[in-house]
Amino acid sequence: MSRKVLIIFIGFLLCGNKLFAENELVKKEIDLANTLSYDFIVSNLQATIDSMTHNVNIARSVHYKYGEAEGLSNLSIAYYLKGDYERSTSAAIRAIKIFKDENMLPELAKIYTQYGYQIKQRDISRAKEYIKLGISIAEMIDLKELLAGSYDNFRVLHEQESLSLIHI
């Protein structure tokens, strides 16, 4: 009897290790697909939307939160550039929720500033709030490169707001 139990246990271990290895391979493929450059996204909007939608669904199916949120972040950029602001916002808010829930601070800082900049034409007050959130996290964890871009984006918002007040 104990030999059968041992054989069954070893069988479960082997299957579990195989599933774990396959899951890790899928995660690596998701991460690779999520490393799209901004230039690629801009030049291939529909291809980005199609591939990131697929990538997000795969990440969700294997419960890979980081991969799902990164894919949503890419989707948000592509939809924004395509002019589909509703879908852009939906993807960004879903990514924000995952990054916040999983305490992924560098990614959260990045998506806050990215989304804030995206909504600058529609709601400058909210845009400034999101960029400030991104800046505060980036300052807290010392993300110098992100801070440089975030400060510049915040400056652009201030200039835009000043110009809109002049034209009133």
Side-chain angles (χ1 to χ4, degrees), residues 80 114-128 131 153 156-158 160-161:
Y80 168 73
Q114 172 187 308
Y115 180 61
Y117 196 76
Q118 287 176 5
I119 64 170
K120 69 186 179 300
Q121 299 293 338
R122 295 173 282 152
D123 190 341
I124 198 155
S125 297
R126 276 188 48 228
K128 287 168 66 175
I131 291 178
N153 287 345
V156 169
L157 275 119
H158 273 292
Q160 181 179 333
E161 190 174 41

Side-chain angles (χ1 to χ4, degrees), residues 78-98:
Y79 280 129
Y80 168 73
L81 293 171
K82 192 173 180 182
D84 191 340
Y85 304 125
E86 188 174 313
R87 286 186 178 161
S88 171
T89 293
S90 175
I93 297 301
R94 288 168 44 208
I96 287 168
K97 180 175 177 6
I98 293 169

